[in-house]
Amino acid sequence: DVQLQASGGGQVQAGGSLRLSCVTSGLSFDEYAVAWFRQAPGKEREAVSCTSKDGSEFHANAVKGRFTISRDSAKNTVNLQMNSLKPEDTAVYYCAGRPTQWVTLNTEYAYWGQGTLVTVSS
């Protein structure tokens, strides 16, 4: 049974940092791509950062230079380090998994975590 557990959200002031973690189980971690998506109220879910088993990554233009994604194979975990947070980063963040290669289309991911809320105040 594949499970993804997202954690690490919270409330911070603009300019602050948070680290989100996605702990996976029930899948061959090294064979899977993991992505972070976010959804703000009234907006569509969008890809934020993605990582594949081959080390390739994607970062949305809005977060480039501020967010870093990393894989920890020993812990079957993908972390999203978010620095210099802005109020527009406020959203529910979800991690998602699919075999092999990341894509930015959320409908291509079969496995999802439960979401963790990030609130950035100005």
Side-chain angles (χ1 to χ4, degrees):
D1 190 24
V2 176
Q3 293 187 349
L4 286 79
Q5 182 77 29
S7 64
Q11 184 169 355
V12 296
Q13 291 191 328
S17 298
L18 283 174
R19 190 174 86 154
L20 307 184
S21 292
C22 178
V23 180
T24 71
S25 61
L27 53 78
S28 300
F29 181 78
D30 289 338
E31 299 298 318
Y32 267 68
V34 176
W36 285 97
F37 288 81
R38 67 185 180 187
Q39 188 164 19
K43 295 189 176 182
E44 293 186 354
R45 192 169 296 189
E46 61 177 357
V48 176
S49 297
C50 314
T51 176
S52 291
K53 65 170 189 172
D54 63 358
S56 66
E57 296 181 0
F58 164 83
H59 296 282
N61 287 336
V63 307
K64 280 182 181 176
R66 299 189 297 122
F67 290 12
T68 303
I69 193 168
S70 61
R71 302 173 68 103
D72 185 341
S73 295
K75 298 181 179 179
N76 291 345
T77 298
V78 173
N79 297 310
L80 184 68
Q81 179 67 42
M82 306 186 297
N83 299 328
S84 303
L85 283 162
K86 304 175 180 180
E88 51 263 44
D89 294 318
T90 295
V92 177
Y93 284 70
Y94 301 88
C95 61
R98 71 187 303 272
T100 312
Q101 179 63 41
W102 59 261
V103 296
T104 59
L105 189 61
N106 63 65
T107 55
E108 293 295 316
Y109 287 81
Y111 305 109
W112 288 85
Q114 82 285 8
T116 184
L117 177 62
V118 172
T119 304
V120 184
S121 57
S122 57

